[in-house]
Amino acid sequence: GEGTGVGLAFSHRIIKSHNGILEVSSAETTGTSFFVRLSGVSADYVDGSEPLSPPDATGHFSVLVVDDEADVARLTSDLLSEAGYVVTQTTDPREALSILGRQSFDVIISDFKMPGLDGETFYNELSVIAPECAKRIGFITGDAMSSKIQNFLVHTGCPFIEKPIIRSELLNMLHRMIDSARAVS
């Protein structure tokens, strides 16, 4: 079968996030081997990259999660709910636009590559129906190396994280977005 071509990049990112090393050895007669090297840690190890608790102790920050993959939407929503956010999720970007036409959220987290309505189109349509919400959107993408996506993110200034979703990166992006929104208001 055919893959998406990002499996090795995802693997490298996961291993790197655990301070590991991914090595490859390839020879025409023996094939290719991949080696993952991870350091052991003691039970009392504390990762300094973990984010702080939600920026407001009340935990009443609302987040809309938009991802066409139900499992990814659920994972993202679960991570945010566990951190104290009030989360609404949808797997349909058109439904998200409908919801955003009626209700405001403190932050919107959206997948970038969705069938029928990609992140750029979603952002542009959101800018028309709820311009204040377009200023509070962040993206999750598995293709941040695409020049088209990079140009869009640079042009709009929208924050983003790459897949696979790492809890600390997701929460840190949300904290930055909320802090930025507070500075404007």
Side-chain angles (χ1 to χ4, degrees):
E2 285 187 31
T4 60
V6 295
L8 186 57
F10 278 0
S11 298
H12 181 258
R13 183 160 160 70
I14 291 168
I15 293 163
K16 187 176 176 184
S17 75
H18 292 283
N19 298 319
I21 298 171
L22 175 63
E23 297 173 340
V24 63
S25 172
S26 187
E28 192 172 319
T29 58
T30 59
T32 303
S33 299
F34 292 90
F35 301 92
V36 176
R37 301 195 189 283
L38 300 170
S39 298
V41 295
S42 65
D44 60 348
Y45 175 78
V46 176
D47 180 2
S49 68
E50 277 300 306
L52 303 172
S53 58
D56 185 304
T58 62
H60 288 101
F61 283 96
S62 59
V63 181
L64 176 63
V65 173
V66 186
D67 197 305
D68 62 300
E69 296 180 57
D71 291 341
V72 176
R74 190 171 23 263
L75 168 68
T76 306
S77 296
D78 289 349
L79 290 171
L80 297 174
S81 294
E82 289 170 5
Y85 294 95
V86 177
V87 182
T88 301
Q89 77 178 41
T90 180
T91 57
D92 181 351
R94 292 272 174 218
E95 180 183 7
L97 290 170
S98 176
I99 292 169
L100 288 161
R102 301 182 311 267
Q103 182 180 350
S104 183
F105 290 85
D106 295 306
V107 175
I108 301 149
I109 302 296
S110 178
D111 184 17
F112 199 90
K113 284 194 153 186
M114 297 180 285
L117 195 67
D118 68 5
E120 183 173 0
T121 307
F122 179 74
Y123 175 86
N124 290 336
E125 291 190 23
L126 181 60
S127 296
V128 172
I129 64 165
E132 71 286 351
C133 290
K135 297 173 186 170
R136 298 189 304 263
I137 188 169
F139 289 98
I140 298 174
T141 181
D143 191 19
M145 297 191 312
S146 155
S147 61
K148 180 182 182 222
I149 295 174
Q150 280 184 359
N151 289 338
F152 167 79
L153 294 170
V154 167
H155 175 73
T156 61
C158 291
F160 72 96
I161 60 171
E162 295 180 68
K163 290 180 180 177
I165 298 168
I166 297 171
R167 180 183 182 273
S168 60
E169 291 178 357
L170 176 65
L171 295 178
N172 285 330
M173 180 176 71
L174 252 64
H175 292 188
R176 288 191 315 272
M177 292 171 69
I178 291 170
D179 288 344
S180 176
R182 283 181 176 162
V184 173
S185 50

